[in-house]
Amino acid sequence: MTISFYMPDTLENWKWPRHLNPHHVQANEASSAWFKGFKAFSPKAQEAFDRCELGLFTSLAYPLYDEERLRSCCDLMNLYFLFDEYSDLASEDEAQLMANIIMDALRNPHTPRPKDEWIGGEVTRQFWERAIKTASLPSQKRFIETFEPYVQGVVRQAADRDNGHNLTIQEYFEVRRDDIGTMPAFAMLELEMNLPDDAIHHPAIEELSVLATDMILLDNDIVSYNKEQARANDSCNIITILMHQNEEFMDIYENKIPKFGEPVDKQLAQYVDGLGNWVRANGQWGFETERYFGKRGAEFQKTRWVKLLPKRDPDEIGHQLVDELEL
């Protein structure tokens, strides 16, 4: 018996339309060539990795940046997926070691990494050494501050796998708000800004960041659910939870943004607009990439009906990236 499920269009009335950075091709090509040079994946896994089209996602998420800053954001997405792929197969201790290496590389971007170290350390170091050349000091500070909770969230996910722990709804949000990596990505919206702490940490702005994160992770769960349930990897997917965060987001966006005077108000408006656009970028990319629906993304985006994939034999499930080739 074939079972299908309907994917709701959570962004049907979203204020922010699809917006692609005009420097998409150049920045993506440069970042992809750089990342491939590390040979972090097998040729087959690298092929699947390329089909994820991270450069497309990045160019949707940062549509206003110049080529240099967009390149830094592309590098970050490559780092995210590198850590994600390696940590998915790691124990808690192994994931913690990777997290420690990443954070040390971020704090010491001009210090070469040990030659026998996990490749993620040098990827991180080179990414951040390039990024800080065009990043304001406040954005650098907030990026480092938010990256630690992100890597520790990934470590906790590994620990939960080790222990066979099924998350409660409250635990789900606690873990996923960290391990999805939106907060460091939002800090990258500030690369050319000088926003003070009291602006970024204003309750209204912090609430917008949380709401944007929740919508992003929920949309991600919707498009990834089919593959995850087939691989028995859907314990952290919250597809059944009712979504109303977009209404709360718009209420704050339209009525509760604080005023600090210029130039902060203009920069803060641009930052908040970036939060909203990030939600759109995530929802759009899920259908334009081949990662979740192969070459049928446009079809599923239109019809919203998806047939469930058959369950996979646990003994046949290999590296997640390699699975992409089998869609």
Side-chain angles (χ1 to χ4, degrees), residues 119-146:
I119 193 64
E122 183 60 14
V123 173
T124 302
R125 187 195 72 78
Q126 290 189 23
F127 145 67
W128 193 232
E129 184 179 41
R130 179 182 293 110
I132 58 179
K133 294 177 182 178
T134 57
S136 65
L137 291 179
S139 69
Q140 293 181 40
K141 171 178 172 287
R142 272 187 279 274
F143 183 86
I144 298 292
E145 289 176 348
T146 55

Side-chain angles (χ1 to χ4, degrees), residues 252-295:
I252 296 175
Y253 175 81
E254 294 175 349
N255 304 307
K256 301 177 183 178
I257 301 299
K259 298 295 184 182
F260 295 90
E262 297 299 344
V264 173
D265 286 356
K266 183 177 181 180
Q267 292 184 4
L268 192 59
Q270 183 179 342
Y271 176 83
V272 168
D273 199 61
L275 296 179
N277 182 72
W278 239 93
V279 177
R280 167 62 67 187
N282 180 76
Q284 187 69 32
W285 173 77
F287 293 101
E288 294 193 29
T289 179
E290 295 183 11
R291 181 174 177 83
Y292 302 116
F293 305 113
K295 298 184 181 300

Side-chain angles (χ1 to χ4, degrees), residues 29 35 44 47 51 55 80 97 99-100 141 145 151 159 164 188 196 228 248 265 268 292 327:
E29 287 180 350
F35 183 73
K44 188 176 182 180
E47 180 185 351
R51 288 176 57 189
Y80 272 153
L97 178 59
N100 293 344
K141 171 178 172 287
E145 289 176 348
V151 297
M188 296 292 280
E228 290 179 352
E248 295 179 46
D265 286 356
L268 192 59
Y292 302 116
L327 283 174

